[in-house]
Amino acid sequence: RPRGAHLVYNTGRPFSSAHSLIKENRLQPPTALVCSEGTEIYWFGPGGSEDVEPDYEWREILMLSWDYPRIKQGVQGIVEKLRREVNDAQYLPEVNGQPMIVINVPDKGKADNMIGKINYELRTCQQLSFDMTCSSGGGNFFILIIPKGASKGSAALHVSKRLGFSPERVMVAGDGENDVPLFEATIGASGTQGFKGAIVGNAVEGLKKWVQRSSSRHNIHRSMSQQALGVLEGLALHFPTPP
């Protein structure tokens, strides 16, 4: 921060989970927290972990095309038809206000089938607008239905713009397959410079393969060091300390 830097956490965790790590001093208070796969942004003030407020502008942007009642009704119908292929479905706007529907299925084949049904019935037939992403954990697959335009990458671009940073002055780092949307922001619009990036040594194969295929791979450092050490290595490479 003496050099004008800002720390931003960008996580798939919901706000309550990520915020608890900050309150317990397991993480330093950041300038901003992007959570729930880019659907929510929170800003921290000088007062520490309790000095926090939502980014209302980001919420308003996402809500413009989020027709939750119709999306929920459509998803419920599909889940009922495929109930033998579904472990669970959670409608988070009614649980914690988070703009997301989570469908838990036992394997990738069933996830692909569910995604195909949702695409056809809700997007093609009903012309509803939303995005979907998929993550895995504990042997299960999770289909996340979120507002159109919400992602780790788009949220990071919004945060960097509010802070007054051009993309080439920002580095993103990650280790998971759900970080791919964040690294997509290393590809600038119309050939312009996007974010700089670093993937750490403990990154999953899916993210490593995406970087290998990406047109921005020259702008992403692939560290052999794990976790925070890999992030620091990337920062030193992309933003070397002046002599």
Side-chain angles (χ1 to χ4, degrees):
R1 292 196 180 189
R3 293 172 59 192
H6 289 270
L7 172 66
V8 178
Y9 299 132
N10 199 323
T11 177
R13 290 172 179 256
F15 172 73
S16 58
S17 174
H19 191 214
S20 67
L21 297 176
I22 298 168
K23 290 194 296 184
E24 294 166 6
N25 294 319
R26 294 167 65 185
L27 293 173
Q28 289 291 317
T31 298
L33 168 64
V34 177
C35 49
S36 304
E37 303 294 349
T39 61
E40 297 180 298
I41 300 173
Y42 292 85
W43 293 89
F44 285 73
S49 63
E50 297 297 341
D51 187 3
V52 58
E53 67 173 28
D55 188 316
Y56 296 106
E57 180 186 10
W58 183 242
R59 185 171 292 178
E60 287 178 10
I61 291 170
L62 297 185
M63 291 302 104
L64 289 174
S65 62
W66 179 241
D67 189 348
Y68 175 66
R70 290 182 62 202
I71 294 170
K72 177 189 174 184
Q73 183 180 36
V75 170
Q76 285 179 321
I78 295 169
V79 167
E80 178 60 25
K81 290 176 189 175
L82 302 176
R83 59 185 179 275
R84 292 185 178 179
E85 299 185 10
V86 178
N87 292 335
D88 184 35
Q90 297 183 53
Y91 303 90
L92 298 185
E94 295 150 34
V95 177
N96 56 18
Q98 182 182 342
M100 181 186 293
I101 297 172
V102 182
I103 305 170
N104 177 351
V105 295
D107 59 59
K108 188 178 186 302
K110 291 181 174 59
D112 290 342
N113 185 43
M114 176 67 72
I115 289 170
K117 292 281 188 183
I118 293 171
N119 271 326
Y120 177 73
E121 295 191 21
L122 302 191
R123 281 184 170 146
T124 304
C125 296
Q126 298 190 44
Q127 298 293 299
L128 290 171
S129 180
F130 56 88
D131 282 337
M132 278 191 290
T133 183
C134 194
S135 63
S136 60
N140 292 322
F141 283 76
F142 300 90
I143 301 163
L144 313 178
I145 301 171
I146 56 180
K148 184 72 175 177
S151 75
K152 285 186 170 186
S154 60
L157 286 165
H158 176 82
V159 169
S160 65
K161 185 176 179 180
R162 277 199 56 177
L163 290 172
F165 282 77
S166 56
E168 68 271 13
R169 299 302 301 162
V170 177
M171 189 192 84
V172 298
D175 62 2
E177 202 156 357
N178 69 336
D179 288 319
V180 166
L182 182 59
F183 282 91
E184 286 175 343
T186 61
I187 305 170
S190 304
T192 60
Q193 173 70 59
F195 291 153
K196 296 177 179 179
I199 62 171
V200 296
N202 54 295
V204 299
E205 283 303 312
L207 179 59
K208 292 178 180 178
K209 288 179 180 178
W210 183 91
V211 170
Q212 289 171 358
R213 298 191 300 266
S214 173
S215 61
S216 65
R217 59 186 178 275
H218 64 282
N219 212 28
I220 302 172
H221 175 59
R222 283 161 280 186
S223 175
M224 297 299 291
S225 301
Q226 297 190 4
Q227 301 175 350
L229 289 176
V231 177
L232 293 174
E233 187 178 292
L235 285 170
L237 176 73
H238 288 306
F239 306 108
T241 303

